[in-house]
Amino acid sequence: MIEVFKTDIRNKTTAKAILNVLKLSFPSANFNFDLNDCDKILRTESSQSISNQVIEVVNSQGFRCEFLEE
């Protein structure tokens, strides 16, 4: 399942730190950022929906994250 999120993460250093936290929390999922997109997109790929948990993790790190409807 692929899920897409809008974030306020603006630079690669911060994105890498967030990716590390997400990978620790969800070791079987894949994550990537598209910081060139105006919405600073975070994509997740996992066997089941983890959208609520991803939002909680990113928010707990002090950043905004919201699910984008397809």
Side-chain angles (χ1 to χ4, degrees), residues 9 14 17-18 21-22 55-64:
I9 295 167
T14 303
I18 297 295
V21 173
L22 288 168
I55 291 169
E56 286 179 21
V57 168
V58 175
N59 288 343
S60 74
Q61 298 298 306
F63 296 95
R64 185 174 51 86

Side-chain angles (χ1 to χ4, degrees), residues 5-11 14-15 18 33 35 38-42 58-59 61-66:
F5 304 85
K6 177 181 179 177
T7 74
D8 63 350
I9 295 167
R10 304 248 180 254
N11 63 63
T14 303
I18 297 295
F33 276 99
L35 299 180
C38 65
D39 288 329
K40 309 303 181 198
I41 295 296
L42 167 62
V58 175
N59 288 343
Q61 298 298 306
F63 296 95
R64 185 174 51 86
C65 181
E66 61 185 74

Side-chain angles (χ1 to χ4, degrees), residues 15 18 37 46 62 65 67:
I18 297 295
D37 187 277
S46 62
C65 181
F67 186 73

Side-chain angles (χ1 to χ4, degrees), residues 22-53:
L22 288 168
K23 287 176 185 177
L24 285 173
S25 300
F26 310 98
S28 63
N30 293 312
F31 304 93
N32 67 65
F33 276 99
D34 181 357
L35 299 180
N36 293 322
D37 187 277
C38 65
D39 288 329
K40 309 303 181 198
I41 295 296
L42 167 62
R43 288 185 191 86
T44 67
E45 183 177 355
S46 62
S47 60
Q48 58 187 350
S49 176
I50 56 173
S51 59
N52 291 335
Q53 296 94 323

